[in-house]
Amino acid sequence: MTDRPDTPRSRRERPAKPALTREGIVAAAVAILRAEGLGKVTMRRLAQELDTGPASLYVYVRNTAELHAAVLDELLGTVGPAPAGGDWRERLERVLTAYTAMLFEHPTLARSALTARPSGPHYLNLIETLLALLDEGGVPPAQAAWGVDLLLQHATATAAEHVEEASEEDWDALRRTLAGLSDRTHPRIAALGGALLAGAPEERLSWAFRALIAGIERTAVPDRPQGDTT
């Protein structure tokens, strides 16, 4: 006679749980993000997924903000290195576009990324890639250092906008408003009403990156004493 399926089992008969690691915790968090969204990536939900207590997770991750930063770093591993060949500006734009596209897949993570400060290997590799491309183009080091922050900030903000993207009805209302403006009260808007909303999203993103890169090339940072970080 065999035991019934619902017969309680001794804890000693259960298979041992895999040991917790930071890598395993982050991998589980990424899986929850893909399946349920960033809102579900919490210590409590993660502990449930890993069959442990929330307190056990704090040994590896200090808080939810650090967890989200670690998730972001893990996904940055999908961005890849800079493409080979071609103009350095085009290659820089392609890396930034790949970064933005990754965040487009997880817009709630993009909003979190506006304030997250990842420091993992994939984030550091991305920064190194961007700095190397700017250096290849002869951009002065100080401008490159500030420029990387500006480029990633724009890419992240663009993706974060899609968390609550305007409906087509909202866009139609804006178009009607612009079309109905008098050239006597708002002459410049009336003249450029079509251009203000023209262009596909990918075209506008590309233009923005090229405009930022050109500005970074030409705009010096303020003079600062050696080693001054204030």
Side-chain angles (χ1 to χ4, degrees), residues 21-43 45-47 49-50 57 61 64 66-78 102-103 105-106 108-109 122:
T21 63
R22 182 179 173 87
E23 292 76 14
I25 290 169
V26 173
V30 171
I32 295 172
L33 168 71
R34 295 187 187 281
E36 304 174 30
L38 186 66
K40 294 295 184 179
V41 182
T42 65
M43 292 299 200
R45 174 68 184 87
L46 194 54
E49 185 71 18
L50 295 170
L57 302 180
V61 185
T64 302
E66 183 178 316
L67 176 63
H68 289 180
V71 168
L72 173 61
D73 184 77
E74 187 69 17
L75 292 175
L76 285 175
T78 66
M102 181 276 289
L103 288 179
E105 296 179 9
H106 309 286
T108 52
L109 182 62
H122 296 127

Side-chain angles (χ1 to χ4, degrees), residues 105-121:
E105 296 179 9
H106 309 286
T108 52
L109 182 62
R111 178 166 288 183
S112 176
L114 287 171
T115 56
R117 292 293 178 267
S119 58

Side-chain angles (χ1 to χ4, degrees), residues 96-152:
L96 292 165
T97 300
Y99 168 76
T100 311
M102 181 276 289
L103 288 179
F104 267 34
E105 296 179 9
H106 309 286
T108 52
L109 182 62
R111 178 166 288 183
S112 176
L114 287 171
T115 56
R117 292 293 178 267
S119 58
H122 296 127
Y123 178 76
L124 296 178
N125 288 343
L126 174 62
I127 298 298
E128 184 68 22
T129 296
L130 298 179
L131 288 173
L133 288 167
L134 290 167
D135 180 64
E136 183 181 327
V139 178
Q143 289 165 222
W146 284 25
V148 162
D149 181 61
L150 181 61
L151 291 166
L152 290 179

Side-chain angles (χ1 to χ4, degrees), residues 204-227:
R204 296 180 75 101
L205 181 65
S206 174
W207 180 87
F209 284 144
R210 286 185 280 115
L212 288 172
I213 293 168
I216 291 166
E217 285 185 81
R218 295 168 174 79
T219 308
V221 301
D223 290 333
R224 303 160 70 86
Q226 188 79 19

